[in-house]
Amino acid sequence: MRYLSTRGQAPDLAFDDVVLAGLAGDGGLYLPASYPNVAAEDISRLAGLPYAAAAARLIAPFVDGAGRDALEAAAAAAYAGFSHAAVAPLTQIGDNLFVLELFHGPTLAFKDLAMQLLGRLMNHVLRERGLRATIVGATSGDTGAAAIEAFRGQDAVDVFILYPDGRVSDVQRRQMTTVADSNVHTLAINGSFDDAQAILKSLFRDAAWRARLGLAGVNSINWARVVAQMVYYFTSGVSLGAPHRKISFAVPTGNFGDVLAGYVAKRMGLPVERLIVATNANDILARALATGRYEPRGVTPTQSPSMDIQVSSNFERLLFDATGRDAATTRAAFASLEQSGGFDIPAGALEAIRADFDAHAVGEAETTSEIARTWRESGYVLDPHTATGVSAARARLAEDPSTPVVALATAHPAKFPDAIEHAIGRRPAPPDRLKPILAASERFARIESDVARVKSFIEENARAARVLAKA
Ligand SMILES: *Cc1c(COP(=O)(O)O)cnc(C)c1O
């Protein structure tokens, strides 16, 4: 499978190169040249397969020859550490309303499902090529912990995660700072998440430094993450009767990676009725679908911080497809976003997007009352991110009660105990795997919000830099 950049000005790459590259050299995102088709009888054959086996089977067509053997072992290892045998179990909480639990991985959020696999695939590619990589990421919460868990102890990789000091939850911070492996470095930046993100962008823009350190990106635009997330749409769809029955999905959305994976599943042949984008008060996607104008506003902090995002990077992939893979139009749209703060989605593309997607913004009060309602009616505790999805799912069921809706449960409620207590008057019990983290000692470096200081910290601690210094 070859991969194309959405901006049409970077070379086509093979899967392994796309895994390492993350972002394309022209600023675009990589997409496969075509979507492999899964025939109805092959969808039926997924029933009863272990999750890892279903993943290897569905992802294989995206991976080039040699990597396919590694894929099976990587998937088996990636999902072996999940605390539920089904990996991503479904729970029914109402008539035709289901919750897909994606929080049984090591950091209790759905990002583990993709990051655990990406970590192993990346390590495999690096080993094959005899390379080292330096992973640098900025996090406002869940991504940093998931990346650390995925890469800790891996000999070809050093991980540096920047987070804004004092602005992540206690659980989120401890998940990053209590990891003892010497290849993991957590940097508390004296500044905001935007400052951390700005430092990260400058590091990636310095081409010579980037090459010297073997800088690699693991944020949600990495194609391997999208393709790993496609799997649970199939497995949950099959549990509910696919390929013989249509299913809708409601997806708590920030950077648009997770819901894009649902779109990929649909393009591969899964009978998806609607993809419902749930946003919190940061409703750029709901506004874009309603008005056709994609225009970020300031970020409002909410009780679902992992969705507090202004620019949903993966939306670029959808726009590229919706314009009939018109790279010039996609390029112009994102140039306009940078220069004048927004763009108008071309009419034909907007129509194509609306054929697959709905969007629903869920405010803070509605999120709290959804947590309370689901607890009252079903005895089930939703985390605040998942609550936006369930609320959007209920709105959909009011219009179309006959198609099952799966709401993706993206985090365990124990990650957000304050929001839960506010909604239902009690704190969720921490799951067993959280208990040692709450007691362990923390290790992190406090550092000024300054590119030069972050650079020298990374140079002192990255093994890739040392190997090259000796050479
Ligand atoms: C990252 C995250 C999201 C948003 O997912 P995207 O792929 O960025 O749209 C939603 N919920 C939780 C708990 C997350 O960690």
Side-chain angles (χ1 to χ4, degrees):
M1 181 71 77
R2 302 298 293 177
Y3 289 82
L4 322 171
S5 165
T6 49
R7 302 205 186 168
Q9 294 181 327
D12 296 359
L13 295 181
F15 181 80
D16 284 0
D17 296 306
V18 166
V19 168
L20 291 188
L23 199 68
D26 57 3
L29 309 189
Y30 280 106
L31 269 181
S34 63
Y35 296 103
N37 184 57
V38 186
E41 59 270 27
D42 291 327
I43 297 178
S44 297
R45 283 192 198 109
L46 296 170
L49 279 187
Y51 187 87
R57 200 177 280 186
L58 288 163
I59 297 169
F62 290 95
V63 181
D64 305 296
R68 288 196 190 178
D69 305 334
L71 177 63
E72 214 163 295
Y79 301 115
F82 279 59
S83 61
H84 194 291
V87 178
L90 268 179
T91 303
Q92 185 161 16
I93 59 165
D95 288 343
N96 265 339
L97 177 56
F98 299 84
V99 167
L100 176 60
E101 295 182 350
L102 301 174
F103 50 68
H104 295 287
T107 72
L108 308 175
F110 87 97
K111 293 190 171 70
D112 290 325
L113 280 120
M115 202 73 87
Q116 285 290 318
L117 185 64
L118 171 64
R120 287 170 172 86
L121 292 175
M122 206 178 251
N123 205 39
H124 172 78
V125 176
L126 291 169
R127 230 188 271 165
E128 291 250 294
R129 299 185 181 184
L131 294 175
R132 275 191 178 288
T134 306
I135 306 274
V136 188
T139 188
S140 60
D142 296 326
T143 300
I148 286 172
E149 273 304 319
F151 290 99
R152 65 189 287 182
Q154 296 210 0
D155 51 351
V157 175
D158 294 299
V159 194
F160 297 84
I161 298 294
L162 283 57
Y163 74 89
D165 198 6
R167 303 196 200 189
V168 300
S169 84
D170 277 4
V171 172
Q172 288 175 322
R173 187 193 67 247
R174 287 185 156 276
Q175 283 182 325
M176 298 189 281
T177 58
T178 58
V179 172
D181 302 76
S182 64
N183 72 326
V184 170
H185 306 275
T186 307
L187 283 71
I189 296 291
N190 172 22
S192 68
F193 171 67
D194 289 340
D195 296 330
Q197 179 98 348
I199 292 172
L200 186 74
K201 285 187 177 155
S202 339
L203 300 181
F204 274 87
R205 263 199 305 269
D206 184 341
W209 196 79
R210 176 179 173 168
R212 191 156 67 82
L213 274 289
L215 229 53
V218 293
N219 54 8
S220 75
I221 53 145
N222 192 302
W223 174 255
R225 284 184 59 181
V226 176
V227 88
Q229 290 167 174
M230 159 276 290
V231 174
Y232 46 72
Y233 289 87
F234 273 96
T235 57
S236 59
V238 168
S239 302
L240 295 177
H244 309 294
R245 192 182 186 202
K246 284 197 159 190
I247 292 127
S248 293
F249 292 91
V251 187
T253 297
N255 225 353
F256 207 75
D258 203 4
V259 74
L260 184 85
Y263 162 83
V264 171
K266 183 172 187 179
R267 296 296 303 270
M268 291 169 71
L270 185 70
V272 176
E273 176 73 32
R274 305 297 297 165
L275 290 162
I276 304 146
V277 174
T279 74
N280 60 23
N282 299 288
D283 61 350
I284 176 170
L285 291 163
R287 284 185 285 113
L289 259 73
T291 67
R293 175 96 187 141
Y294 185 94
E295 193 172 59
R297 292 182 188 154
V299 173
T300 311
T302 71
Q303 59 190 311
S304 45
S306 300
M307 296 160 64
D308 292 348
I309 281 179
Q310 265 195 65
V311 179
S312 294
S313 310
N314 277 292
F315 187 74
E316 179 164 348
R317 288 189 162 115
L318 179 63
L319 184 71
F320 180 64
D321 269 7
T323 58
R325 300 206 147 188
D326 182 342
T329 299
T330 307
R331 208 159 57 231
F334 285 89
S336 160
L337 177 64
E338 206 154 286
Q339 283 148 24
S340 47
F343 60 82
D344 293 314
I345 302 170
L350 185 58
E351 202 178 311
I353 291 169
R354 286 175 177 161
D356 290 322
F357 291 86
D358 289 329
H360 196 90
V362 180
E364 288 292 88
E366 221 180 325
T367 302
T368 300
S369 61
E370 183 57 67
I371 297 170
R373 174 186 174 174
T374 298
W375 168 245
R376 209 169 48 238
E377 292 181 2
S378 324
Y380 189 89
V381 183
L382 303 170
D383 103 282
H385 303 78
T386 306
T388 67
V390 170
S391 181
R394 289 193 201 276
R396 175 70 202 166
L397 283 164
E399 274 174 52
D400 170 14
S402 63
T403 307
V405 183
V406 173
L408 274 54
T410 51
H412 192 289
K415 283 194 102 163
F416 305 96
D418 296 340
I420 305 304
E421 185 170 29
H422 174 61
I424 65 171
R426 54 197 278 179
R427 294 174 86 76
D432 285 346
R433 72 186 341 157
L434 212 51
K435 287 178 188 154
I437 290 168
L438 298 178
S441 64
E442 298 187 66
R443 177 176 67 91
F444 58 90
R446 273 216 179 78
I447 196 158
E448 281 302 304
S449 174
D450 175 77
V451 177
R453 297 216 180 184
V454 172
K455 264 187 177 167
S456 57
F457 184 92
I458 293 174
E459 281 176 30
E460 279 160 29
N461 291 284
R463 289 169 296 173
R466 261 177 257 154
V467 170
L468 286 156
K470 272 189 217 133

